[in-house]
Amino acid sequence: MTKTYQTGDTVSGKVTGIQPYGAFVALDDQTQGLVHISEITHGYVKEVSEYLAVGQEVDVKVLEVDEKSKKISLSIRALQEQPPAAQKTEKPKQSLQSHVNESDSEGFNSLKDKMQEWIKRSGQ
């Protein structure tokens, strides 16, 4: 690493490679880091290539610098505004019993009648 990068730095770089697990970004002539697939954008990313292309200039945030292994973890998502959470409309939960129509002439009563008929037939 020619330049020293610190956790929290925001830098520009160029995408140099795309893999199923993320994209490699060159920060300078000697240094590159990895943007993991989970750090590309908010939400689910199925294909990295749907969001990034080799040669594309991107702004990234340095998440972690491992001096021993000389690896830098980067994020594009950290620089994006988080989308508002989807509003769930809470419906009051109903018990299964509330769906049963007790006065229904079919349903369990017809089953009860059929059961008696089946028992008689099985004994013959």
Side-chain angles (χ1 to χ4, degrees):
M1 284 189 247
T2 55
K3 182 180 178 208
T4 304
Y5 295 96
Q6 302 291 322
T7 300
D9 287 351
T10 299
V11 294
S12 292
K14 185 182 279 192
V15 177
T16 58
I18 293 179
Q19 296 295 322
Y21 51 84
F24 289 97
V25 176
L27 303 178
D28 59 41
D29 291 338
Q30 305 266 311
T31 312
Q32 73 175 5
L34 174 68
V35 178
H36 186 267
I37 190 169
S38 65
E39 292 295 333
I40 291 173
T41 190
H42 293 280
Y44 179 72
V45 175
K46 184 175 182 178
E47 292 288 332
V48 176
S49 60
E50 292 177 4
Y51 295 87
L52 299 171
V54 173
Q56 179 180 347
E57 292 282 337
V58 292
D59 290 330
V60 294
K61 183 174 185 174
V62 178
L63 296 180
E64 183 180 354
V65 178
D66 187 336
E67 291 294 333
K68 277 187 177 178
S69 65
K70 304 274 194 238
K71 291 183 180 179
I72 301 177
S73 299
L74 305 170
S75 175
I76 297 170
R77 180 180 76 164
L79 299 176
Q80 298 171 344
E81 191 172 314
Q82 187 166 356
Q87 295 292 326
K88 287 179 120 180
T89 54
E90 290 289 327
K91 294 180 184 176
K93 295 193 178 200
Q94 295 181 345
S95 71
L96 183 57
Q97 191 62 37
S98 67
H99 295 287
V100 175
N101 184 351
E102 300 276 343
S103 63
D104 191 353
S105 62
E106 299 297 318
F108 289 113
N109 287 335
S110 63
L111 181 59
K112 180 180 169 187
D113 298 339
K114 289 286 187 187
M115 184 66 79
Q116 293 303 321
E117 183 182 326
W118 294 332
I119 291 171
K120 285 179 189 173
R121 257 198 248 159
S122 67
Q124 292 178 1

